[in-house]
């Protein structure tokens, strides 16, 4: 009797627990853990330039336009927009009821302030040049005109009008990443400390909860985001791991859900081990070497061409990388619509022996040889794959008598040194934020571009960029950009190596992942089982 009574009491308690939502166990927190390729440098939407920061910023903020789960450009904070017949005036209509994460309303005045801040020389935005297409932007960024002269207006609380210098069909794409609003009230309150967790106010799907340098950046769901009901995750951890082998170990241990860099020499093994969890996708990304054209031996075009010619790209892609990366000597990747792949180096089809012999002659003409060997400082970030590529390049230069000193550093230090011009040769990568050839040629724009780390300045090249920008006819614009690419390829300030193939491990517990040529997968569309 006592046992039956005890069981009955237990059953009644269990039924009561099931029937009372307030007493039910809390649901499991849905947390996505994704690898970042380096530690966070900034969460300011106007100051970031590298991918590890961009992924965090993209989770925290939303521009007038955004991307969908397949990285197609769609309405963001603006519910719609129209374009004038001449392609130079964009009128955005904001969604109604938009608020910052602290509940303060978002109006067109926030976007007006943010555009002006982006180009204000005091902000020193490293990516401002990507939006120099906006009327007056170049003059404002270089201090020749006041921020109020920028071609952006806010005629009413829900309308933002952007005037362009010339038609730019890529504007809504690049605005996704580079025209995000920032909270004036938080910046004026906290100054430079506004991006700290606890101070930051954002308008995206997540808010900034915590940052432990070297460990993780923690973001949590923003209940005030306009599409919060469609965000499945409770939190996202961006975990900085530069070494692909370390990332793989942590994935195998169940500590990561998304790994974005993997050891090249283990690709075949990973195919067998993980099957469909291994995602290999060709993207519109370019891996390259940047030569310093401001100083040292690499100021000499003959030296740059010799070094570029001697690199056997097929050897690097087939024996080092092994994930199907197409070797290239073109600056613009093949998947850019309407551009074509016809501006590659004229020597790209030569046999390797001929290229090495021609490279020797070019170096000798520049004054280098057995009695005066060329010595170079080669900067790279501390990644096993990058070390292997650098060793292969150095070996390919060895028959020319070139001596290479490797300077490795973590991603943050590497990126800062490159921006400061502290290199002869430097590893570089560019993943376009819009599908337009201009995005890649801007890497060599000498008209004040903030991403031209080589310091390349060729008036003929710049004139072709200006002519393309002024062209109202798309086919003429494309031909001009091809001509500009040919000039840049001939000068070899930037040496293309291969088109990027993303190598990712995506845990089977993740849903909503979509491989795409832009390589963009924002967290708001993902979930965990």
């Amino acid at each position: 009797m006592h046992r039956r009574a005890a069981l009955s009491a237990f059953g009644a308690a269990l039924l009561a627990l099931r029937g009372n939502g307030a007493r039910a166990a809390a649901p499991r927190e849905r947390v996505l853990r994704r690898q970042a390729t380096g530690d966070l440098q900034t969460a300011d939407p106007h100051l970031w330039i590298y991918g590890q920061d961009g992924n965090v910023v993209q989770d925290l903020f939303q521009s007038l336009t955004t991307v969908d789960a397949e990285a197609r450009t769609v309405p963001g904070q603006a519910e719609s927009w129209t374009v004038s017949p001449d392609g130079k005036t964009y009128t955005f209509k904001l969604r109604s009821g938009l608020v910052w994460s602290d509940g303060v309303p978002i109006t067109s005045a926030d976007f007006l302030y943010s555009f002006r801040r982006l180009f204000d020389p005091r902000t020193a935005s490293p990516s401002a040049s990507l939006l120099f297409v906006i009327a007056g932007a170049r003059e404002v960024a270089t201090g020749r005109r006041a921020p109020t002269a920028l071609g952006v207006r806010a005629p009413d609380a829900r309308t933002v009008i952007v005037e362009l210098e010339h038609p730019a069909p890529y504007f809504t794409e690049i605005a996704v990443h580079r025209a995000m609003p920032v909270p004036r009230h938080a910046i004026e309150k906290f100054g430079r400390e506004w991006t700290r967790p606890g101070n930051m106010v954002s308008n995206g799907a997540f808010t900034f909860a915590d940052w432990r340098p070297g460990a993780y950046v923690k973001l949590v769901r923003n209940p005030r985001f306009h599409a919060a009901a469609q965000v499945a995750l409770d939190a996202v951890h961006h975990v900085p791991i530069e070494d692909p082998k370390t990332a793989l170990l942590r994935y195998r241990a169940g500590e990561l859900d998304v790994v974005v860099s993997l050891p090249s020499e283990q690709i075949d093994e990973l195919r067998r081990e993980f099957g469909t969890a291994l995602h290999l996708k060709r993207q519109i990304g370019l891996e390259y070497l940047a030569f310093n054209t401001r100083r040292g031996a690499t100021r000499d075009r003959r030296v740059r061409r010799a070094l570029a010619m001697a690199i056997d790209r097929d050897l690097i892609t087939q024996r080092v990388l092994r994930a199907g990366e197409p070797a290239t000597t073109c600056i613009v990747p093949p998947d850019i619509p309407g551009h074509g792949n016809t501006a590659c180096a004229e020597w790209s089809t030569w046999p390797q022996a001929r290229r090495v012999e021609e490279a020797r002659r070019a170096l000798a003409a520049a004054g280098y040889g057995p009695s005066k060997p060329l010595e170079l400082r080669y900067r790279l970030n501390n990644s096993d794959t990058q070390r292997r590529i650098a060793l292969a390049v150095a070996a390919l230069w060895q028959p020319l008598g070139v001596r290479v000193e490797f300077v490795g550093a973590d991603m943050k230090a590497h990126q800062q040194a490159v921006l400061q011009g502290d290199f002869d040769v430097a590893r570089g990568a560019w993943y376009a934020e819009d599908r337009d050839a201009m995005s890649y040629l801007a890497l060599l724009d000498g008209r004040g571009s903030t991403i031209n780390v080589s310091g390349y300045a060729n008036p003929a090249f710049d004139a072709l960029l200006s002519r393309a920008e002024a062209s109202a006819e798309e086919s003429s614009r494309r031909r001009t950009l091809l001509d500009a690419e040919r000039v840049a390829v001939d000068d070899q300030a930037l040496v293309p190596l291969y088109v990027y193939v993303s190598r990712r491990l995506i845990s089977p517990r993740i849903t909503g992942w979509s491989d795409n040529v832009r390589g963009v997968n924002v967290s708001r569309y993902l979930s965990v089982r």
Side-chain angles (χ1 to χ4, degrees):
M1 289 294 293
H2 291 295
R3 186 169 179 272
R4 265 194 223 114
L7 288 172
S8 297
F10 174 77
L14 182 60
L15 288 172
L17 183 61
R18 287 177 176 170
N20 188 341
R23 295 183 184 178
R28 178 177 58 88
E29 188 179 33
R30 294 163 296 185
V31 180
L32 172 69
R33 303 157 303 172
R34 55 190 305 170
Q35 178 200 3
T37 54
D39 218 339
L40 182 68
Q41 297 188 41
T42 179
D44 188 322
H46 296 165
L47 296 182
W48 78 272
I49 188 168
Y50 294 107
Q52 71 269 21
D53 297 348
N55 289 333
V56 172
V57 170
Q58 192 79 350
D59 283 348
L60 290 170
F61 292 88
Q62 187 179 77
S63 185
L64 294 163
T65 55
T66 189
V67 292
D68 65 10
E70 297 180 354
R72 295 171 297 207
T73 302
V74 296
Q77 295 283 282
E79 63 183 11
S80 63
W81 62 86
T82 58
V83 186
S84 63
D86 66 0
K88 294 170 63 175
T89 303
Y90 284 70
T91 302
F92 297 89
K93 183 63 67 174
L94 298 182
R95 300 177 187 272
S96 62
L98 292 173
V99 295
W100 293 102
S101 57
D102 60 357
V104 173
I106 297 174
T107 71
S108 60
D110 291 292
F111 285 90
L112 180 60
Y113 165 80
S114 298
F115 273 110
R116 290 175 175 176
R117 178 182 184 264
L118 172 65
F119 296 107
D120 191 324
R122 293 174 297 182
T123 302
S125 171
S127 60
S129 63
L130 296 175
L131 283 171
F132 276 177
V133 66
I134 296 175
R138 191 187 302 271
E139 290 76 12
V140 172
T142 54
R144 297 199 297 270
R145 301 183 71 183
T148 53
L150 191 68
V152 180
R153 293 180 284 129
D156 61 58
R158 289 185 57 198
T159 304
V160 179
I161 299 175
V162 181
E163 303 281 354
L164 305 185
E165 295 278 5
H166 53 79
Y170 54 86
F171 174 67
T172 54
E173 286 193 354
I174 202 163
V176 169
H177 306 278
R178 300 299 180 178
M180 294 178 179
V182 292
R184 181 173 188 169
H185 61 288
I187 293 173
E188 291 179 345
K189 180 178 180 180
F190 296 109
R192 293 183 179 180
E193 307 298 313
W194 81 273
T195 56
R196 288 192 172 185
N199 295 348
M200 175 174 276
V201 174
S202 60
N203 72 328
F206 299 90
T207 60
F208 201 4
D210 195 10
W211 177 19
R212 304 293 175 88
Y216 61 82
V217 169
K218 180 181 180 181
L219 313 180
V220 297
R221 184 174 174 272
N222 176 11
R224 293 190 170 102
F225 178 55
H226 69 83
Q230 284 77 55
V231 179
L233 296 171
D234 297 305
V236 182
H237 291 182
H238 292 264
V239 183
I241 305 173
E242 290 188 37
D243 181 55
K245 291 182 178 178
T246 301
L248 178 58
L249 286 172
R250 295 190 63 176
Y251 179 87
R252 282 175 167 147
E255 298 174 5
L256 289 173
D257 303 307
V258 176
V259 170
V260 297
S261 62
L262 294 166
S264 300
E265 68 275 16
Q266 295 185 42
I267 289 296
D268 294 338
E269 173 191 336
L270 297 178
R271 285 190 178 101
R272 293 189 296 269
E273 181 179 356
F274 294 109
T276 57
L278 176 64
H279 293 235
L280 303 175
K281 174 69 176 179
R282 190 170 88 179
Q283 297 180 341
I284 50 174
L286 179 72
E287 288 277 338
Y288 63 88
L289 295 179
F291 287 138
N292 193 331
T293 65
R294 298 182 183 92
R295 61 167 181 78
T298 50
R299 290 182 63 187
D300 191 322
R301 173 180 172 275
R302 295 169 297 183
V303 171
R304 299 195 301 268
R305 282 176 54 82
L307 294 171
M309 257 190 282
I311 299 174
D312 185 342
R313 291 153 178 80
D314 290 325
L315 182 148
I316 291 172
T317 58
Q318 294 170 15
R319 298 189 186 179
V320 177
L321 299 170
R322 307 176 67 179
E325 291 86 351
T328 188
T329 62
C330 289
I331 295 172
V332 180
D335 292 320
I336 297 299
H339 186 72
N341 222 200
T342 60
C344 295
E346 82 281 359
W347 41 259
S348 60
T349 58
W350 295 358
Q352 181 66 11
R354 180 183 173 188
R355 285 161 53 178
V356 170
E357 186 56 37
E358 184 62 31
R360 281 199 188 98
R361 282 196 288 268
L363 279 185
Y368 296 97
S371 62
K372 185 185 175 183
L374 175 62
E375 298 182 353
L376 299 171
R377 292 174 70 248
Y378 184 135
R379 276 201 173 272
L380 67 153
N381 56 291
N382 288 330
S383 155
D384 183 65
T385 297
Q386 292 308 320
R387 284 192 293 270
R388 288 162 60 84
I389 292 172
L391 288 169
V393 169
L396 291 164
W397 285 342
Q398 196 169 30
L400 306 180
V402 178
R403 298 175 181 175
V404 179
E405 175 193 356
F406 296 113
V407 184
D410 61 46
M411 183 65 81
K412 181 176 181 178
H414 170 72
Q415 291 165 344
Q416 289 176 342
V418 172
L419 285 173
Q420 293 165 3
D422 183 17
F423 65 94
D424 295 320
V425 186
R427 179 257 170 163
W430 189 249
Y431 309 99
E433 293 159 18
D434 59 272
R435 287 164 287 188
D436 191 89
M438 185 68 83
S439 294
Y440 294 89
L441 299 179
L443 291 167
L444 295 168
D445 187 347
R447 302 168 301 167
S449 170
T450 47
I451 59 173
N452 180 3
V453 297
S454 290
Y456 179 66
N458 183 333
F461 175 78
D462 293 342
L464 287 167
L465 294 189
S466 296
R467 187 192 306 171
E469 290 173 344
S471 177
E473 206 277 310
E474 187 58 27
S475 61
S476 174
R477 176 179 180 272
R478 288 173 176 172
R479 287 194 300 271
T480 304
L481 290 176
L482 273 171
D483 289 341
E485 184 179 10
R486 291 188 183 99
V487 170
V489 167
D490 195 47
D491 277 349
Q492 294 293 326
L494 181 154
V495 180
L497 295 179
Y498 58 90
V499 176
Y500 190 66
V501 169
S502 64
R503 47 187 72 200
R504 295 169 175 170
L505 279 173
I506 311 301
S507 169
R509 68 192 290 263
I510 299 299
T511 60
W513 186 273
S514 175
D515 292 319
N516 58 80
V517 296
R518 295 178 73 180
V520 175
N521 298 91
V522 293
S523 302
R524 63 173 283 204
Y525 300 114
L526 304 178
S527 186
V528 293
R529 293 188 178 94

